[in-house]
């Protein structure tokens, strides 16, 4: 088997969920991605194991559907834990939530209805759909172990106004980085001595896709569909497009439906213009005098700032802070130019990268400690 397994070193920072109960709780975290399966073992807030199992394209090519990868990925998780002599005495297994149906944010116990909906999900096919299934199947073999998901990408807390588009044929939906955004919101709130539910925040996740949400007292009342094409363009997404031009292109006969969908997600944004989605490489081009690359990145920043400012109107200008997060938040080029356009709205804070593994672990921990309400998937 040709899996590349990378070990990451984690820093154990203070957690908003830490307490003094003296009870050590063990959490297994499972995060299936398009080309990797990340696993982690936490003892309370401390990461004891972090692994990123890479899946070469040729390895996944044998599976016709993503759901067909279930047994393969589950066994990889088990094999890796056994290889590292990790005992299977977990209090909870939490998986990355899938893209089944819209739900309110929070932590959910995996049940049969969730499993059925996830297996039958056809509109949005992504490896994250395997998260709850693998978590459930591993947990059921461990005495007194529970299985959860938390804040999947389809979390929908939109206001009624936000759901309405200009056509009764289409309602606005959101698919966004709910898990990381809410984790960053709670981290920021903890740092300033407040609760997430007390604050009005605009949070922008800068990654392969860019999601921007207005968080009003603990609910994301407006967010874009960062997967299917809404908001700013990004390294891999087209973002909002001129509607009439898109319709003309659909009927031009030049592209199939599958090809056009890829021109919105995957083969869009910076990668469509520049042939790469690697921001480090693009910045090197800019430093070397590539003015076309500079124009495109500056345009991405421009449209991102414009969408952030729009969320200010959603919150009536009552904004406690703007939080920038995601992989692209490591880019000083992007952050500096973005802040120049948005700092007038509210104080801006940067949390580079994303730690979905920690966010999942801390959500499970908060439920086990009785610090967070556990919701039922219905």
């Amino acid at each position: 088997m040709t899996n590349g397994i990378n070990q990451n070193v984690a820093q154990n920072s203070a957690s908003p969920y830490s307490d003094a109960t003296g009870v050590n709780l063990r959490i297994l975290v499972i995060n299936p991605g398009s080309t990797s399966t990340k696993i982690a073992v936490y003892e309370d807030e401390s990461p004891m194991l972090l692994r990123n199992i890479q899946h070469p394209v040729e390895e996944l090519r044998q599976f016709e559907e993503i759901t067909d990868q279930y047994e393969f990925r589950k066994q990889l998780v088990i094999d890796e834990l056994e290889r590292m002599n990790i005992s299977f005495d977990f209090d909870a297994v939490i998986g990355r939530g899938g893209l089944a149906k819209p739900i309110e944010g929070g932590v959910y116990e995996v049940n049969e209805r969730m499993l059925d909906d996830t297996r039958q999900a056809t509109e949005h096919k992504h490896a994250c759909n395997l998260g709850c299934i693998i978590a459930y199947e591993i947990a059921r073999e461990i005495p007194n172990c529970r299985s959860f998901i938390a804040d999947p990408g389809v979390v929908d807390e939109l206001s009624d106004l936000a759901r309405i588009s200009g056509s009764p044929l289409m309602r606005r939906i959101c698919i966004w980085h709910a898990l990381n955004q809410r984790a960053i919101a709670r981290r920021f709130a903890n740092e300033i001595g407040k609760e997430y539910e007390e604050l009005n925040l605009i949070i922008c996740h800068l990654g392969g896709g860019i999601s921007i949400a207005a968080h009003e007292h603990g609910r994301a009342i407006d967010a874009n569909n960062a997967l299917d094409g809404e908001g700013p363009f990004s390294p891999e997404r087209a973002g909002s497009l001129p509607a009439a031009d898109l319709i003309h292109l659909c009927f031009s006969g030049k592209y199939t439906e599958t090809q056009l969908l890829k021109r919105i997600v995957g083969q869009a944004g910076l990668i469509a213009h520049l042939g790469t989605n690697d921001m480090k490489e693009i910045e090197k081009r800019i430093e070397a005098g590539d003015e076309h690359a500079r124009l495109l990145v500056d345009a991405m920043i421009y449209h991102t700032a414009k969408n952030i400012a729009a969320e200010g109107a959603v919150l009536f200008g009552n904004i406690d802070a703007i939080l920038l997060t995601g992989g692209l938040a490591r880019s000083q080029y992007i952050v500096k130019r973005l802040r120049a356009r948005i700092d007038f709205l509210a104080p801006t804070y940067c949390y580079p990268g994303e730690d979905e593994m920690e966010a999942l672990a801390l959500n499970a921990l908060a439920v086990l400690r009785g610090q967070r309400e556990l919701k039922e998937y219905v």
Side-chain angles (χ1 to χ4, degrees):
M1 194 170 291
T2 57
N3 298 304
I5 301 177
N6 301 322
Q7 183 172 9
N8 302 316
V9 179
Q11 295 179 344
N12 183 23
S13 57
S15 165
Y17 311 124
S18 58
D19 66 8
T21 62
V23 178
N24 293 326
L25 297 170
R26 285 167 53 85
I27 314 292
L28 172 62
V29 184
I30 301 171
N31 184 351
S34 299
T35 59
S36 69
T37 302
K38 297 177 184 177
I39 61 174
V41 175
Y42 276 74
E43 188 167 297
D44 292 338
E45 291 84 5
S46 301
M48 312 305 293
L49 174 76
L50 293 172
R51 288 290 187 270
N52 185 358
I53 307 173
Q54 296 292 326
H55 308 307
V57 174
E58 59 272 14
E59 189 173 64
L60 298 180
R61 195 172 289 150
Q62 61 182 303
F63 303 103
E64 184 173 345
E65 297 288 345
I66 287 175
T67 51
D68 297 336
Q69 300 174 21
Y70 158 68
E71 288 288 353
F72 166 74
R73 296 213 192 205
K74 175 190 171 186
Q75 193 58 48
L76 284 178
V77 172
I78 294 172
D79 290 347
E80 183 60 18
L81 293 173
E82 291 178 343
R83 189 178 75 84
M84 298 303 299
N85 295 317
I86 301 294
S87 59
F88 285 71
D89 56 350
F90 303 111
D91 295 283
V93 184
I94 186 164
R96 181 180 176 187
L99 305 178
K101 68 180 182 182
I103 57 175
E104 188 179 54
V107 184
Y108 291 79
E109 191 143 22
V110 182
N111 58 25
E112 291 293 340
R113 185 182 294 273
M114 182 189 298
L115 295 172
D116 289 343
D117 286 351
T118 303
R119 291 188 180 109
Q120 295 169 17
T122 56
E123 185 175 356
H124 299 109
K125 298 181 180 181
H126 191 279
C128 65
N129 290 346
L130 299 172
C132 70
I133 303 173
I134 298 174
Y136 177 83
E137 292 297 336
I138 290 179
R140 69 188 300 201
E141 301 296 328
I142 303 171
N144 302 314
C145 183
R146 304 168 73 182
S147 55
F148 306 126
I149 65 164
D151 292 327
V154 288
V155 164
D156 183 349
E157 300 167 341
L158 299 184
S159 71
D160 290 339
L161 296 175
R163 298 181 196 280
I164 298 173
S165 78
S167 169
L169 299 176
M170 292 173 279
R171 288 173 63 84
R172 285 192 67 241
I173 66 168
C174 55
I175 301 178
W176 56 298
H177 300 89
L179 177 63
N180 190 51
Q181 285 208 22
R182 293 174 84 105
I184 293 301
R186 290 194 173 93
R187 181 184 300 179
F188 171 75
N190 182 65
E191 289 174 356
I192 65 172
K194 293 195 174 185
E195 297 294 327
Y196 167 49
E197 291 75 13
E198 296 178 64
L199 301 173
N200 280 356
L201 303 169
I202 298 175
I203 306 181
C204 176
H205 181 109
L206 299 158
I210 295 176
S211 68
I212 303 166
H215 297 247
E216 182 180 58
H217 302 306
R219 294 179 64 85
I221 61 170
D222 193 271
N224 63 310
N225 183 344
L227 177 64
D228 290 337
E230 188 184 41
F233 72 87
S234 70
E236 298 174 4
R237 311 281 198 271
S240 299
L241 295 170
D245 289 344
L246 182 58
I247 292 171
H248 293 323
L249 195 61
C250 290
F251 287 89
S252 68
K254 296 179 180 178
Y255 304 98
T256 65
E257 179 182 4
T258 299
Q259 288 172 331
L260 281 174
L261 287 172
K262 288 181 179 179
R263 293 299 181 104
I264 292 175
V265 179
Q267 297 175 9
L270 294 182
I271 197 169
H273 284 285
L274 298 174
T276 181
N277 58 1
D278 186 336
M279 197 58 213
K280 290 182 180 179
E281 178 184 333
I282 294 171
E283 286 192 31
K284 287 179 181 178
R285 292 188 193 180
I286 294 173
E287 291 170 4
D290 188 335
E291 290 303 316
H292 182 59
R294 182 188 300 277
L295 174 66
L296 288 164
V297 174
D298 287 353
M300 182 180 74
I301 295 167
Y302 169 90
H303 287 287
T304 301
K306 187 169 66 173
N307 279 262
I308 290 173
E311 297 298 354
V314 171
L315 296 171
F316 293 90
N318 181 18
I319 311 162
D320 292 295
I322 300 170
L323 309 182
L324 306 178
T325 185
L328 293 187
R330 296 190 179 96
S331 167
Q332 290 301 309
Y333 185 97
I334 291 175
V335 170
K336 179 181 178 181
R337 287 160 177 78
L338 187 55
R339 292 190 64 169
R341 291 184 178 274
I342 64 174
D343 273 348
F344 76 96
L345 291 164
T348 302
Y349 301 85
C350 191
Y351 294 84
E354 59 181 289
D355 197 339
E356 293 180 330
M357 307 304 282
E358 180 183 61
L360 287 168
L362 295 183
N363 271 291
L365 191 62
V367 165
L368 293 178
R369 287 175 171 171
Q371 298 168 340
R372 179 85 40 84
E373 173 192 3
L374 180 64
K375 298 184 177 181
E376 181 183 4
Y377 184 93
V378 294

